[in-house]
Structures are given as structure tokens and as C-alpha cells.
Amino acid sequence: ISDTEEVEPDAEGWLKATTFAQLNYLWDYSIDNDSKTVTLESFKGVDAKSNDIKVEIPREVEGYKVALENLNNETFKDVTHIRVAKGEGQVKVLAKELVRGFENNENLKYVDLEGLDVSEVTDMTMLFSGCSNLRVINLLGWNIKDSAIITGMFYANSNATNEERKL
């Protein structure tokens, strides 16, 4: 798919892709036509008009379900806010280990990852450790019963209050 459509932030500053042309602008991705799945590999980055880069992970694009290759600093370079779009279905995380995924990320302020399927992730050790500016964390609905290791997931991350943590 070669068309590209520039994406402007919505009224709240979120960058959203609902079409493949918009996805081309925001993400590197691959498509599996047999399973009708698009796998988001990395956020391309944009010329931000503000200090905050807010990225919404779509649950589907033009009838294709969405998967996320990984959840880490490489995937979300320079992003300050990450959320999963509201709606039906889940976004499957394909990586089996998320060890130190966002460790020491000073840009990250907000994660609302309700709607991610992390059921096959086996290790989340220190996933958000040292994220000194992370204030809001929503991981509601995460199935981590088979994630044997979650040691230090929020180590050295005391800035979010209990009211802002939804685990």
C-alpha cells in the first residue's frame, strides 16, 4: 500500500490512524493477508508541534486486526503518551519478553494500555522501571497469569499516585 496521508493530531493532541494511508504516515508495519492482521513494528515519529507526542494504537485498520510487534523504547521512540484506541477486540503483543522495555525512559508520561493482549508474554521484568516522568498507568485487563516474571516492573517509578495507577 503506497498511499500516504499526513496525520494531524486531534483536538486533544492524539495521533490516530484509521486507514492504511494514515498508517503509512505514522508506522512501519507488515501485513498478513491470510490472517487479515497488520503488525505495527515501530512508530515513525513526526514533527511534533508540541513537546508531547501522543500516539494511539488502533485496534483495527480497514477490517484488519492489529498486532504490536513489541512494547519498548525502540517501538515508541520519543513518544510521551501511549494509549490503545477504545473499541472491540484486543491488540496482541507478539514479543514473548518485554524485559526493560521502557527502562529509564524520561519522555514517557502516560500509558493507557487497556486492550493489549499480553497473555503470551512471559517476562516483563523492569518494563517501566526508572520512568521518572510516568504519571498515569492503566494496565486494566492485562492477563499476566502466565507471565511468570514481573519483578521490578515499576522499580524507581514513584511519581504516579495510586489514583493514577490502574493495574
Side-chain angles (χ1 to χ4, degrees):
I1 300 171
S2 61
D3 290 342
T4 299
E5 178 184 335
E6 186 171 339
V7 176
E8 291 292 327
D10 68 8
E12 296 176 340
W14 290 94
L15 295 165
K16 304 175 183 181
T18 58
T19 68
F20 281 108
Q22 293 168 337
L23 210 62
N24 280 337
Y25 182 74
L26 295 175
W27 294 92
D28 289 320
Y29 64 92
S30 59
I31 297 175
D32 181 336
N33 286 314
D34 293 334
S35 66
K36 292 200 64 139
T37 301
V38 57
T39 300
L40 304 180
E41 297 165 352
S42 65
F43 178 70
K44 290 182 179 181
V46 294
D47 275 335
K49 294 178 175 88
S50 76
N51 291 333
D52 289 333
I53 300 175
K54 300 178 178 183
V55 176
E56 182 173 273
I57 303 166
R59 290 181 188 242
E60 70 91 27
V61 175
E62 295 186 20
Y64 281 67
K65 58 188 171 187
V66 173
L68 190 59
E69 185 173 76
N70 211 327
L71 187 62
N72 60 25
N73 287 326
E74 297 302 313
T75 305
F76 292 96
K77 185 169 176 46
D78 300 324
V79 172
T80 59
H81 295 63
I82 305 168
R83 76 177 180 195
V84 176
K86 299 298 179 204
E88 297 296 316
Q90 289 191 304
V91 175
K92 185 173 192 67
V93 176
L94 301 179
K96 301 299 182 210
E97 294 185 354
L98 301 178
V99 176
R100 301 181 187 276
F102 289 105
E103 185 178 37
N104 298 322
N105 183 327
E106 294 180 5
N107 293 323
L108 199 58
K109 300 176 185 178
Y110 175 101
V111 291
D112 180 352
L113 301 176
E114 182 176 358
L116 279 189
D117 176 358
V118 295
S119 61
E120 294 183 26
V121 177
T122 58
D123 193 344
M124 297 183 193
T125 300
M126 301 184 83
L127 177 60
F128 297 105
S129 71
C131 294
S132 59
N133 291 310
L134 185 57
R135 302 282 191 272
V136 176
I137 304 162
N138 178 6
L139 308 179
L140 286 175
W142 276 29
N143 175 0
I144 59 170
K145 67 181 179 189
D146 293 327
S147 297
I149 306 169
I150 58 171
T151 306
M153 193 168 173
F154 300 103
Y155 179 76
N157 176 356
S158 59
N159 288 323
T161 66
N162 286 337
E163 292 80 38
E164 297 165 317
R165 292 182 186 170
K166 296 179 183 176
L167 309 172

